[in-house]
Amino acid sequence: MSKSFTIASDNRVKRLLAIAKRHLGYIAKSRSKTIIVPGDLKLDHAIVASIFSAAAVEAGLNLFISIPILFVKDENVRRFFGMLVTKYSRLSVRQKIEFACEFCPQIKQDKALLKRVRALLEYRNSVLHSSQEYAEPLGLPDLDFKELPSRITEEDLIPHPQLLSRGTSSAGIEEAFQHYQTASDFLSKLIVYDQEVEDSTSANGG
């Protein structure tokens, strides 16, 4: 007899999703989801919602990989694989998704959902592990207005060194709602099965 466990039902995953949903609620209470005014916190709430949606996906993947250990009956074998997962299995999130696909066909077959999940994780990485990009856009020198030539040509422009990074925009607010839905859809399809025999008689072929 087979017993299943849906990762989305785990309290740790539910808590992370609940945090994301709470911040989406703050955005929904605003009169407009897209218009940004000075001091507006909608973008902040959107970032928090997206980050915690991604955190829920990663937590769910970790559980998906680890929970089957609890179903192993032999104590020594259970401890062996428990130690392996706990201390020595440090896959990247991308590798964890690939691993989950091998044992979760409902995830592997949903190419559109996998694309959305990868986009969510890329967004998370761009926010938490953002790197600066050096650029030298051309511009006017820092001169007094009276010192500027009457006619400006390309020769008057000089490079201004800058460090550029991904900024936030009103599009991030709508993305946050999509990110939450992506995490919810993915986790609801992430299912672990425990294979059990009904009794020792049937197990022995009796």
Side-chain angles (χ1 to χ4, degrees):
M1 170 170 145
S2 176
K3 183 171 61 177
S4 65
F5 175 81
T6 304
I7 298 299
S9 66
D10 184 87
N11 287 333
R12 288 159 288 190
V13 173
K14 288 166 67 175
R15 183 182 183 190
L16 294 171
L17 282 179
I19 294 173
K21 189 174 183 179
R22 188 181 312 132
H23 283 270
L24 292 178
Y26 296 147
I27 298 173
K29 289 178 182 178
S30 302
R31 292 185 177 180
S32 172
K33 293 181 182 179
T34 57
I35 298 175
I36 307 299
V37 298
D40 202 331
L41 296 178
K42 287 197 289 290
L43 278 176
D44 292 349
H45 290 308
I47 292 172
V48 172
S50 293
I51 295 301
F52 274 87
S53 294
V57 167
E58 186 163 7
L61 286 166
N62 291 337
L63 285 169
F64 178 82
I65 293 171
S66 305
I67 280 181
I69 296 169
L70 304 180
F71 301 149
V72 177
K73 305 302 179 186
D74 184 279
E75 183 177 326
N76 289 327
V77 174
R78 186 174 65 247
R79 287 179 176 174
F80 175 85
F81 285 105
M83 185 70 71
L84 180 68
V85 169
T86 303
K87 291 191 174 181
Y88 301 106
S89 182
R90 292 292 182 267
L91 301 175
S92 67
V93 180
R94 178 184 58 80
Q95 292 171 313
K96 289 173 184 175
I97 291 176
E98 293 174 357
F99 179 84
C101 286
E102 292 300 318
F103 298 95
C104 196
Q106 58 269 33
I107 292 292
K108 186 175 184 178
Q109 294 166 6
D110 197 335
K111 304 298 184 184
L113 178 58
L114 283 171
K115 184 177 180 179
R116 288 161 50 203
V117 169
R118 292 187 177 109
L120 165 58
L121 295 172
E122 287 176 7
Y123 174 87
R124 188 275 307 271
N125 290 340
S126 72
V127 173
L128 297 183
H129 308 294
S130 61
S131 58
Q132 304 293 321
E133 181 178 340
Y134 179 76
E136 291 185 348
L138 295 176
L140 292 171
D142 296 327
L143 299 175
D144 185 271
F145 182 75
K146 296 179 180 180
E147 298 177 335
L148 292 176
S150 57
R151 183 177 179 182
I152 298 174
T153 65
E154 187 174 345
E155 295 179 353
D156 297 315
L157 304 178
I158 63 171
H160 289 272
Q162 293 182 7
L163 291 176
L164 306 176
S165 61
R166 172 174 175 156
T168 56
S169 67
S170 58
I173 295 176
E174 189 60 36
E175 283 181 343
F177 286 85
Q178 297 169 4
H179 290 160
Y180 175 81
Q181 190 60 52
T182 294
S184 298
D185 293 345
F186 180 79
L187 293 166
S188 67
K189 289 190 174 185
L190 207 56
I191 302 173
V192 176
Y193 292 95
D194 172 22
Q195 297 297 325
E196 295 180 339
V197 291
E198 294 187 5
D199 53 48
S200 57
T201 303
S202 60
N204 294 325

